Amino acid sequence: MNTIASYINPLLIRSFVKFLLADDENSKWILTVIFFIAKTMESLSQRQLIFGASSISIKVQATLMAFIYKKSLSIKYDGLSSGEIINCIRVDVARIEDFGLYIHGIWLIPVQVLAAYIMLYMNLGVAPSLKYYLVHRTRKKY
């Protein structure tokens, strides 16, 4: 939902240019309402995604910390205090928690790139879109 809402505004650029050239009163309000709704939906869906991922990450963190702490109580560590063990557990669980927040990038980034290519094609045609693809595809990585 967030990706769709974030790409509506660039899609409306053509309508915005037509609006600037025309003097239609109805299109002004319709375009304004669509821009407002798109940005509102983008913001709300992004916050919902972050909230959902954070709540799942917190549950996973609590479960993992409890499980690992119970397991560590049954193991004797030479030279490590319980505070050091808990600190190590917290660092490892925090890494897993961060993974939960960024897991959606694996599938979301290709979708966003594809949507950007489609919009480039729709607004500029075949030649600029193909040139953009070839330039970024053959560019040397340093």
Side-chain angles (χ1 to χ4, degrees):
M1 178 82 158
N2 182 31
T3 302
I4 294 169
S6 65
Y7 281 106
I8 286 178
N9 286 336
L11 287 175
L12 292 174
I13 288 176
R14 186 176 299 164
S15 299
F16 187 69
V17 170
K18 288 179 185 177
F19 155 74
L20 290 176
L21 296 175
D23 200 24
D24 185 16
E25 209 43 52
N26 289 335
S27 65
K28 291 178 185 178
W29 289 107
I30 292 172
L31 197 57
T32 304
V33 168
I34 291 173
F35 272 119
F36 177 75
I37 290 172
K39 282 315 240 182
T40 303
M41 292 303 294
E42 178 186 0
S43 178
L44 290 175
S45 63
Q46 185 178 21
R47 295 296 151 216
Q48 182 66 28
L49 175 68
I50 291 171
F51 176 75
S54 296
S55 64
I56 290 172
S57 294
I58 289 171
K59 291 175 184 175
V60 168
Q61 175 188 8
T63 304
L64 279 174
M65 283 190 73
F67 176 74
I68 294 171
Y69 183 70
K70 285 179 185 176
K71 199 67 153 165
S72 69
L73 290 177
S74 65
I75 301 171
K76 298 283 185 189
Y77 289 101
D78 293 328
L80 289 177
S81 67
S82 62
E84 291 171 332
I85 294 170
I86 292 173
N87 190 26
C88 291
I89 292 170
R90 176 66 185 121
V91 169
D92 292 339
V93 170
R95 289 181 185 157
I96 294 171
E97 180 184 2
D98 290 341
F99 175 75
L101 292 173
Y102 299 112
I103 186 69
H104 295 289
I106 293 171
W107 65 271
L108 192 58
I109 290 172
V111 170
Q112 289 176 341
V113 169
L114 181 66
Y117 278 134
I118 291 170
M119 282 190 344
L120 190 66
Y121 173 74
M122 288 173 58
N123 288 324
L124 299 177
V126 176
S129 303
L130 186 61
K131 180 180 181 272
Y132 180 79
Y133 174 75
L134 291 174
V135 165
H136 287 285
R137 176 103 167 137
T138 60
R139 192 168 80 186
K140 292 183 181 178
K141 298 177 182 173
Y142 296 100

